[in-house]
Amino acid sequence: MEEKNSLTAERSLEIIAEQMELIRRTMNENSSISLISWGTCVVVFALIIAYLWEHHGGPAWNGLWAVMWLCGCLAERLIGKHRQHVPNTFVGKTISQVWATFGIFMGAIGCIFGLAGCGLLPVTFTITGDHASAHLYINLTSIISLCFGIASTQTGFILKNRVVQACGIIAGLGGFFGALRYPWAEQLYVMAAVAVVGLIVPGIIIYLQHKK
């Protein structure tokens, strides 16, 4: 009887492990279109905002990032209707929490910069690095790129996907140091490159892998 119970317990663990692996594979496949759609949104809006910034009014056009977020959420909802169903598991919850944390921090930083730019906060932000004339020196694009890279790499580890891990590391570190080399609107081109490397490229690779 004990031997039978032991075999049953071992088989139960095997079934659980198989189901978890199946869920992980399905989530990898589902993530491909989401990565491509979000990456496309970021690239398109980064280029639009960069153009408008340089030719039609300056950094006020950064408010369009809120529109980008709405477009991305709408695309995600439409995509969700056609993807494979995945049970609500610890893996899915953890990934959602990683990106929710990224969104909360980046949204809060964006709001703070916006309020400061409108003169509603007693803080001056600058990208000149001149400590004599600046209260605080922060390169926002570098921070966003680094945090994005961390979130993407963590997602890759959770999904056990080396493509997502590698692209997250390259995009995060490349964007962080790349943005330090360019001022103002030119940093948006770095953001577009980060989206291509960190979102679109792994999305296409995963999509092609699961189509074989």
Side-chain angles (χ1 to χ4, degrees):
M1 180 64 72
E2 290 182 1
E3 183 178 353
K4 182 178 180 180
N5 290 336
S6 176
L7 290 174
T8 302
E10 289 178 3
R11 181 55 186 158
S12 297
L13 290 174
E14 289 178 3
I15 293 173
I16 293 172
E18 290 171 0
Q19 288 299 313
M20 289 297 294
E21 189 59 32
L22 176 60
I23 291 171
R24 201 175 259 112
R25 286 200 302 269
T26 304
M27 291 186 68
N28 266 295
E29 185 174 358
N30 287 344
S31 68
S32 62
I33 303 300
S34 292
L35 290 170
I36 294 170
S37 64
W38 277 105
T40 302
C41 283
V42 173
V43 170
V44 170
F45 274 84
L47 296 179
I48 290 174
I49 294 170
Y51 174 80
L52 294 173
W53 184 330
E54 291 178 329
H55 301 95
H56 299 285
W61 289 105
N62 276 313
L64 288 178
W65 286 115
V67 179
M68 186 279 297
W69 178 79
L70 292 175
C71 291
C73 289
L74 178 60
E76 188 70 18
R77 174 164 292 189
L78 294 174
I79 292 168
K81 296 179 180 179
H82 303 285
R83 61 170 42 137
Q84 298 182 57
H85 173 71
V86 179
N88 192 15
T89 63
F90 174 77
V91 173
K93 289 180 180 178
T94 302
I95 292 175
S96 297
Q97 290 166 354
V98 167
W99 287 104
T101 302
F102 169 79
I104 290 170
F105 274 83
M106 294 303 98
I109 290 175
C111 289
I112 292 171
F113 267 69
L115 292 173
C118 295
L120 299 178
L121 289 180
V123 180
T124 299
F125 296 100
T126 181
I127 64 168
T128 63
D130 182 2
H131 299 289
S133 61
H135 293 91
L136 184 62
Y137 170 64
I138 293 179
N139 188 309
L140 184 57
T141 305
S142 288
I143 294 174
I144 292 175
S145 299
L146 184 62
C147 290
F148 164 81
I150 293 171
S152 182
T153 305
Q154 286 292 337
T155 300
F157 278 117
I158 294 168
L159 292 175
K160 295 183 179 180
N161 190 311
R162 293 184 178 179
V163 172
V164 177
Q165 293 173 24
C167 288
I169 293 171
I170 294 170
L173 293 177
F176 177 80
F177 290 107
L180 293 175
R181 296 178 58 86
Y182 300 99
W184 297 105
E186 293 180 16
Q187 292 181 6
L188 291 167
Y189 299 114
V190 176
M191 181 63 69
V194 168
V196 171
V197 176
L199 293 172
I200 295 178
V201 169
I204 292 174
I205 293 174
I206 294 170
Y207 180 80
L208 294 176
Q209 285 176 340
H210 287 277
K211 284 298 179 181
K212 291 181 180 179

